[in-house]
Amino acid sequence: MSDGDVLAVAEHRRGELRPVSYELIAAGRDLAADLGGDLHVAVIGGDVDSFAERVNRAGADVVHTVDEGEEFNHDVYAAATTALFEAVDPSVLLLPNSVNGLDYAPAVATRLSIPLVSDAVDLTVADDLVVTRETYGSKVETTVEATTPAAVTIRDAEWPSVEDPGDATVEPFTVDIDAPSIRSTVRGFEEVGAGDVDIGEAEFIVSVGRGIDEEANLELVEELADALDATLAASRPIVDNGWLPKNRQVGQSGAVVTPKVYLALGISGAVQHVAGMKGAETIIAVNTDPDAPIFDIADYGVVGDLFEVVPELIERFES
Amino acid sequence: MKVLVTVKEVANVADDFEIEGLTIPEQFLEYDLNEWDDYAVEAAVQIAEDRDEDVEVVAVTVGPERSEETVRMALAKGVDRAVRVWDDTLAEAALVGPTAMARVLAAVAEAEDPDLVLSGVQAADDGFGATGVALAEHLEYAWAAVVNDLELDDETASVRRELEGGVEELTSVPLPAVLTIQTGINDPRYASLRGIRQAQRKELDVRTLADLGLDPAVLDDDLTLTGLARPESESDATLFEGSAADTADDLETVLRDAGVSAE
C-alpha cells in the first residue's frame, strides 16, 4: 500500500521546461496534502541540474533527476518513470496531458498495471481518487473514481502555475535502461506553419471554424476580414480540410494569438482552440449552438447563423 | 503486410441533451465513425494502394450491432474485412477505460498479428487519447503518438509527431508498431457507391470476449464512473439578440469601440 506520496514528472522541450511542469506542482502539492504524503517531482533528460533548480518550487519535497538523454524519448521516459514509481511507491503518478505525456503515460500505466485517467481538469480525494474530466467535446463533465495507486494526466492551464521557490532536496536517480528497449529514434524537430503571414502578430483577427460548412463559403469571411482590415485565421478542421494553410491555424498545435479583437465565426471553442486565443483582449463569438464552449470565454456573443450576420457586418464596414 | 486499424463508433450529444443518472438517453445521441479513425482508415487504405506487395487491411471495433453501420463505412472505403467485439459483459460496462480497452483490442491484434496498427489519436466522446499507446505496450510493439505524416518501408515507420505550438518531431520506429493518427494527415475519401455495395459482402466477424480467450475480469480497470453533469456555464458574455441586422449593429459598435476600421 502506498503512503500518500505523489510523483509528478516535469516536461521539457529543446532546453525549456514547459509551463505544465509548474502546474503539475500545484496539482501535486494539493493532492499530497490531501493524501498526507510528500510531493516528488522528477526531471528526466536534458540539463537536469538546471531543470531541478527551476522545479524546486513551493510544495515540492523531493526532486529526482534522471540524467538520461537530451530530448524527450518515450522509451526512456517510460522506463525511467516506471523505475521511479517503483522506488517512490506513490499513491498518484501525475503526468502532463500533452502530446508527449500521452506518448508514454499509457505505456507506464500498462506496465505498472495501475489505472489511468487522462485529461483531468480537477482532482480530489474521497475514498478513492476522484477525477473530473470533460467528454463529448466538453459538453459533459464526467467524474471517474480510480483506486490508488493511479496514474493521471492533467490538462494544461487548469491548475495555477507555482511560482514561489521551494526547499526540496535534489536526489539523482539512476535507472538501468536496457539499450534494446529504446526502439524509437527522435531525428529532429521542424517548425511548421511559417509562411506569408504571422497571425501571432495580428491586431484584429477574423477566425472561422467548422460552421462555415464548405470551402466555397470562405469567400464570405475573407470579404469580412478585408472590410475590417483584419487577418484571417481558422480553427483546426478548416486547416485539416486543406481549405486554409497551416500558418492560419489558431490553437494548441498551431499559433497562439493575442489580438485586440478575435471574432470567432462558427467555432465551437474546443479546449485545443481556446488554448491558442484566450489571451485576446476582446473575444466575439457567432455560433448557432448556445451551449458552444466558445461562449464561456467570449466577451460578446451572437447565438445565430454566421451566414446571416456576416453579410450584414460586411455592409457596415465596406468603404 | 497486414495493417490493423482500430475504429470506434462515437456518440455525439444533441444540443438539448439530458442526463439520466449515469447515462445520456439514446434519443439525445447521434452516432458516427470517430473522426480520428476516419483518417486512420484512410492512412491504412493508402498504404494498401501504394505498396507493391499485397497488403491486407483489417478493421477492429468494440461496439454493439448498431456500430456495424460505421464498420461497413470503413469497409466501403477499402478496408478488406472487419472484426467486431461485443457481448453482454461489454454492453453492461458503464465505463471501459483505455487500459481495459487496450486489453480487448490486444487479443484481436494478437490473433491477427499485424505489421502495423493504426489507431485514431482519441475518440471524440471519451477523449482518453490513450488506448493506442496502451495497446502497443500490451503487444510489446513500438509506437508513436499523434502522427501527422507517415512514410513506411519494410522495417521502419518514419513519422512526424505533431507537438504543441507548431513544432513537429521527426521520429522513426521499427515495425511492428502502433501509430496513433492525427486529423489532417490525409484527405479521407468518401465511400463510392461501388465500395458501399462491395462492403455488404465483405467479412465482418463478431467475437465475444470468451471467443478471444478473455475473462470478463479483463474489463476491471479500477475505474468507476460516478457522475455525469452538464458543465455549469462559465459564460459572462454579453449576448446580442434580435434580427441579423440588429445583432450586426451591436457588433459594429463593439468592433468600432475596439478600434476596428478606425482611420
Side-chain angles (χ1 to χ4, degrees), chain A residues 118 141 145 187 240 252 316, chain B residues 128 137 165 170 183 224 229 249:
Chain A
S118 55
E141 208 168 72
E145 293 193 13
R187 292 173 285 121
D240 278 350
Q252 206 169 63
R316 283 162 179 73
Chain B
F128 283 114
E137 180 66 20
L170 285 63
T183 59
T224 313
D249 284 340

Side-chain angles (χ1 to χ4, degrees), chain B residues 50-187:
Chain B
D50 294 349
R51 289 180 74 82
D52 294 331
E53 59 174 327
D54 273 348
V55 178
E56 186 182 27
V57 180
V58 181
V60 54
T61 195
V62 177
E65 196 175 350
R66 184 196 55 232
S67 65
E68 290 199 359
E69 199 181 325
T70 301
V71 176
R72 292 277 177 211
M73 198 50 76
L75 292 169
K77 291 181 180 200
V79 170
D80 296 303
R81 62 184 173 83
V83 177
R84 177 171 73 86
V85 183
W86 199 244
D87 62 13
D88 291 346
T89 311
L90 281 160
E92 284 158 18
L95 173 71
V96 181
T99 53
M101 185 60 79
R103 283 194 288 268
V104 175
L105 293 169
V108 176
E110 274 160 11
E112 295 287 347
D113 194 24
D115 303 281
L116 186 66
V117 180
L118 301 182
S119 183
V121 163
Q122 61 175 317
D125 46 10
D126 288 332
F128 283 114
T131 307
V133 173
L135 173 61
E137 180 66 20
H138 274 294
L139 296 171
E140 296 182 7
Y141 279 21
W143 74 85
V146 193
V147 167
N148 70 357
D149 189 61
L150 163 63
E151 278 177 43
L152 206 58
D153 65 31
D154 292 335
E155 281 153 17
T156 312
S158 303
V159 304
R160 286 169 179 259
R161 297 182 55 235
E162 185 192 77
L163 304 181
E164 296 85 354
V167 177
E168 293 181 347
E169 182 198 275
L170 285 63
T171 299
S172 301
V173 293
L175 301 183
V178 177
L179 307 178
T180 77
I181 300 297
Q182 177 62 300
T183 59
I185 187 174
N186 52 38
D187 187 8

